[in-house]
């Protein structure tokens, strides 16, 4: 998995990845490839698993993508 710290208490977790193209401590830019989707761990198929956290509390993705 990859966790990106966006600052101000906000972070994003990406899991079940087939490959990871960044390393701990890397600074990433918007639009940069961090890895590829996959079906690792306890997943049921290829997916893009994303979780958003604010101050350590997991938030609903519907708060960020209300039309999805």
């Amino acid at each position: 998995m990859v966790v990106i710290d966006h600052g101000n208490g906000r972070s994003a977790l990406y899991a079940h990845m087939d490959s990871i193209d960044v390393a701990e401590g890397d600074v990433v830019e918007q639009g940069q490839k961090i890895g590829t989707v996959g079906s690792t761990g306890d997943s049921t198929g290829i997916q893009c698993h994303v979780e958003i956290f604010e101050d350590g509390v997991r938030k609903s993705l519907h708060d960020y993508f209300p039309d999805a």
Side-chain angles (χ1 to χ4, degrees):
M1 83 177 142
V2 171
V3 177
I4 297 177
D5 180 352
H6 295 278
N8 295 322
R10 187 173 291 159
S11 62
L13 176 147
Y14 300 87
H16 302 295
M17 300 170 74
D18 185 54
S19 68
I20 297 174
D21 297 336
V22 294
E24 185 173 351
D26 283 356
V27 175
V28 297
E29 301 292 330
Q30 184 175 349
Q32 178 180 339
K33 180 179 169 186
I34 60 169
T36 57
V37 296
S39 182
T40 61
D42 193 22
S43 67
T44 58
I46 295 173
Q47 59 181 293
C48 179
H49 181 104
V50 179
E51 296 180 18
I52 304 292
F53 294 85
E54 287 187 12
D55 298 321
V57 176
R58 187 170 55 161
K59 306 299 278 188
S60 171
L61 288 179
H62 293 289
D63 293 342
Y64 301 90
F65 307 102
D67 297 328

